[in-house]
Amino acid sequence: MDENEVSVRKVLAIVTNYGVEQDELAVPLEHLRGWGAVVDVAAVSADDIETLVGDKDPGKKVKPDLTLSDADAEAYDLLLIPGGTLNADTLRGQDSALEIVRSFTSSGRPVAAICHGPWALVEADVVRGKKLTSYSSLSTDIRNAGGHWVDEPVVTDGTGGWKLITSRNPGDLEDFLRETDAALERATL
């Protein structure tokens, strides 16, 4: 994908203000912004996002661009949902985050979720019939929600009228970003 194609793309990342896995937020932000995409990070509040490394060690702080309640989901081409156990568990309890997820899936726009990020998809009740991956501890939740969980570095599923890209952990970021790039390249201008 060249810079001109991606520079017209807009990505919305949704997180909480504590516990997002550092590389699952920072690496995609750097990658996508490096191509010229507009990437906005929406958090629960306007306070700094305190990332973690390995769910326990303090990571970099990230300033959110807006709050979840202020995000206009219709203005974006792709939704990014990073993991981190604490982040994902709290995010799935945020009604505004679930509304954003449903906005993307009901309109056919792609969603990219990594590690524990698919918990928001389970809570939004949008994984039924989808093949996906995640951190392994979510496999039962995904199956109980009607999804087909597999242990693969990246899974892309376009059934149901919307594309879902999922990966298991930060070690899969290269594959995850390759598929995210491809989804953005095909996004409607």
Side-chain angles (χ1 to χ4, degrees):
M1 172 169 21
D2 70 36
E3 187 173 330
N4 291 332
E5 290 173 334
V6 78
S7 66
V8 297
R9 306 293 191 224
K10 291 183 74 177
V11 176
L12 179 65
I14 59 173
V15 298
T16 60
N17 293 85
Y18 181 76
V20 65
E21 183 66 30
Q22 174 184 279
D23 286 352
E24 293 173 6
L25 177 61
V27 171
L29 290 181
E30 182 179 317
H31 172 82
L32 294 165
R33 287 175 176 164
W35 276 104
V38 174
V39 184
D40 290 333
V41 179
V44 174
S45 76
D47 298 326
D48 283 349
I49 299 160
E50 297 180 45
T51 69
L52 295 176
V53 177
D55 273 339
K56 61 182 175 21
D57 296 322
K60 299 175 185 173
K61 288 188 178 186
V62 176
K63 182 75 177 154
D65 300 293
L66 66 163
T67 64
L68 291 170
S69 60
D70 289 335
D72 176 10
E74 297 300 319
Y76 297 90
D77 300 301
L78 181 135
L79 178 62
L80 173 66
I81 310 174
T85 309
L86 297 172
N87 168 68
D89 191 37
T90 304
L91 189 67
R92 68 181 173 157
Q94 301 293 315
D95 290 338
S96 52
L98 301 180
E99 289 171 18
I100 290 168
V101 168
R102 291 182 191 115
S103 173
F104 273 84
T105 61
S106 67
S107 66
R109 289 171 291 147
V111 175
I114 187 166
C115 197
H116 287 80
W119 256 342
L121 304 169
V122 168
E123 196 66 31
D125 195 24
V126 297
V127 299
R128 188 166 313 285
K130 288 283 202 187
K131 179 181 173 184
L132 64 154
T133 194
S134 67
Y135 195 77
S136 62
S137 64
L138 276 66
S139 63
T140 300
D141 293 338
I142 289 168
R143 288 183 184 118
N144 286 340
H148 174 68
W149 187 87
V150 295
D151 185 12
E152 296 176 13
V154 66
V155 175
T156 300
D157 185 314
T159 62
W162 61 281
K163 184 173 298 288
L164 175 60
I165 302 147
T166 53
S167 283
R168 303 171 298 190
N169 58 55
D172 297 333
L173 277 165
E174 185 176 329
D175 294 325
F176 181 70
L177 291 173
R178 181 193 68 241
E179 292 300 312
T180 300
D181 286 350
L184 274 176
E185 192 172 57
R186 290 187 290 273
T188 304
L189 291 172

